[in-house]
Amino acid sequence: MDTAIGAFTMTSSLSSGSRREGFERARDIITRHRRAWTEQYLDTYLQQRWRTALEGVAQAHHRFVAAKGRPPTLIQFAQFATVAANQWTGGDLGALYTAIGEPAPAQQLHPARLLPGDGYDVAQRVYTALGGTTVDNDLRMNQPEEAQRQWQLSRLAVESLRYLQLHEALGQPPTGKQFGSSRLAWPWPGEETEGWPLFQHTLAALTNTSPPASEPAAGTAEAAPSLLDNTKHVLAKGANAPLRTESVAVRLVTTGVPVDVSAVLLTSHGKVRSDHDLVFYNHPHHDGVRTSGDTVTADLPHVPDDVHTVAVITSIDLEAQPTSSFDQNTTWHVEVTQPAGGGLAFTPAPFVSGETVTIAMEIYRHGSGWKVRAVGQGYDTGLAGLAADYGINVEP
């Protein structure tokens, strides 16, 4: 009876003009119960979760030793230990070895950490860089296919943490087979063939590491477009194609507001050697690379050996167009040609996040030859953001 009266009193209170007061009472009751539960049970709960996770990793380690007659390599250990490492050791596989009482491989003692900050922040940055946007009820109701695509992008963003852990463990980017790229959904027209190199390049840009050597996606054959057969091909975003070792011209055809075209010469570490490696209208010639209007030309036989990549950059002059960005109206299209004939083309999807600078294409060394890659990566932080990634000093 008293309980019924109490419930009626609260209901009456909520419906008679003091809804805020009723909400605060309910909140305080819930908070007190949560605090009491935490004081009584949380430590025990966390200890049990911790022990269960570590025991699972230790058992998997022992099963591996029993089956193979030797301890797992770091990459093999990562296959069954990354979830526990993410939950309990900040993603540090070496610390997890210590926690289960096993000696870590020597290379894990001083790993090159690619996750210096919070994993959630890294995943959010990857999600945004891949084209992720806020999903609300309106999008779910009216554009279910786009909502599904955004969910797939969020899954890739979460998986990026495991990719970076494998990179740390291996000392180099994992291959599609090592990562298991074929088990994921890739929300691009070319699916895994298009999405896997884009995913790798995005993570390389966000962690200031060199993009991996081009490889076919797991379970697929490498794409065939090439300037070597004297025909014209269209590249998908992230795709690559071989070049002849001669001069190559990359022309940007633009619509909307005027844009500047420039080039950046990069070492194998993805950084400039000096500020002279930025080639633009005030510094139009450098080490076999030149700019002229809407075109960047690289004379490949005369590019120095320590230059691994020539990145072709498009940027909006924000002094002349302070409110402009790449969007549905301001777009670009790339045409790649060489003197001996043939051609390649690349048109990215319209940019939607206020990007004012984009990496259009990359010309890069591959073995003893050269390739070109369709990039289409945008920066909403302007030239300063791109300069920071490439190690260019923008201070006056």
Side-chain angles (χ1 to χ4, degrees):
M1 182 69 174
D2 291 340
T3 301
I5 293 173
F8 175 78
T9 301
M10 177 170 285
T11 303
S12 299
S13 170
L14 287 171
S15 61
S16 62
S18 56
R19 303 180 69 149
R20 177 72 180 177
E21 181 182 352
F23 167 79
E24 291 177 350
R25 289 179 182 175
R27 179 199 61 196
D28 292 344
I29 292 171
I30 294 170
T31 299
R32 285 197 299 272
H33 281 286
R34 284 178 172 173
R35 185 177 292 115
W37 184 94
T38 299
E39 292 174 352
Q40 185 172 357
Y41 298 112
L42 182 60
D43 286 345
T44 301
Y45 171 77
L46 290 177
Q47 289 175 10
Q48 290 175 343
R49 288 289 303 274
W50 163 262
R51 283 198 297 268
T52 300
L54 295 191
E55 287 171 358
V57 173
Q59 289 171 2
H61 186 278
H62 295 327
R63 284 196 298 268
F64 186 99
V65 173
K68 303 292 186 179
R70 57 176 175 76
T73 64
L74 195 56
I75 182 63
Q76 291 166 337
F77 182 74
Q79 299 295 326
F80 57 80
T82 52
V83 172
N86 287 339
Q87 292 175 336
W88 301 106
T89 62
D92 188 341
L93 292 171
L96 192 59
Y97 269 106
T98 302
I100 66 172
E102 296 290 342
Q107 64 265 38
Q108 181 64 22
L109 296 179
H110 300 286
R113 297 290 287 155
L114 299 178
L115 286 169
D118 179 71
Y120 174 82
D121 178 63
V122 173
Q124 185 61 46
R125 290 169 61 199
V126 173
Y127 179 61
T128 301
L130 291 175
T133 59
T134 302
V135 177
D136 54 21
N137 287 332
D138 182 66
L139 185 70
R140 294 188 185 96
M141 293 294 293
N142 299 317
Q143 302 181 56
E145 292 183 358
E146 177 60 22
Q148 174 68 11
R149 178 177 177 274
Q150 291 296 324
W151 182 86
Q152 292 170 338
L153 289 176
S154 68
R155 172 75 188 279
L156 290 175
V158 172
E159 288 287 330
S160 70
L161 302 181
R162 193 172 66 83
Y163 176 99
L164 294 175
Q165 286 176 308
L166 293 176
H167 190 163
E168 290 176 1
L170 291 167
Q172 62 185 16
T175 64
K177 182 177 180 180
Q178 290 168 329
F179 177 67
S181 57
S182 60
R183 65 190 168 79
L184 298 171
W186 300 88
W188 286 274
E191 298 182 345
E192 185 183 353
T193 302
E194 180 179 354
W196 172 242
L198 175 61
F199 180 74
Q200 289 189 299
H201 189 90
T202 298
L203 290 177
L206 290 176
T207 56
N208 293 321
T209 56
S210 298
S214 300
E215 56 153 333
T220 66
E222 188 168 2
S226 170
L227 276 165
L228 306 182
D229 57 10
N230 291 324
T231 58
K232 187 171 183 177
H233 298 278
V234 176
L235 292 177
K237 184 173 181 177
N240 61 75
L243 298 171
R244 302 179 187 88
T245 305
E246 60 183 24
S247 177
V248 56
V250 179
R251 178 172 177 254
L252 273 292
V253 181
T254 63
T255 62
V257 304
V259 303
D260 295 324
V261 179
S262 56
V264 185
L265 282 62
L266 304 169
T267 68
S268 60
H269 298 291
K271 304 292 185 180
V272 297
R273 299 165 300 172
S274 73
D275 292 347
H276 292 294
D277 284 339
L278 173 60
V279 183
F280 65 114
Y281 55 86
N282 278 341
H283 176 52
H285 307 279
H286 186 59
D287 280 351
V289 178
R290 67 181 184 274
T291 60
S292 178
D294 60 3
T295 301
V296 170
T297 303
D299 190 2
L300 299 181
H302 294 93
V303 175
D305 292 342
D306 57 351
V307 173
H308 179 272
T309 302
V310 178
V312 179
I313 310 300
T314 63
S315 57
I316 293 174
D317 184 352
L318 293 181
E319 291 186 2
Q321 306 285 341
T323 62
S324 296
S325 63
F326 289 107
D327 55 20
Q328 296 279 353
N329 299 313
T330 299
T331 64
W332 52 259
H333 166 82
V334 177
E335 295 178 352
V336 183
T337 56
Q338 291 194 279
L344 298 167
F346 167 50
T347 303
F351 294 92
V352 296
S353 301
E355 295 89 345
T356 58
V357 176
T358 64
I359 306 171
M361 304 286 285
E362 287 180 341
I363 304 163
Y364 63 99
R365 295 185 187 274
H366 182 74
S368 60
W370 290 84
K371 283 190 170 185
V372 65
R373 179 188 292 114
V375 181
Q377 176 188 336
Y379 285 77
D380 60 6
T381 51
L383 285 171
L386 180 136
D389 282 354
Y390 285 161
I392 302 171
N393 182 13
V394 296
E395 294 297 326

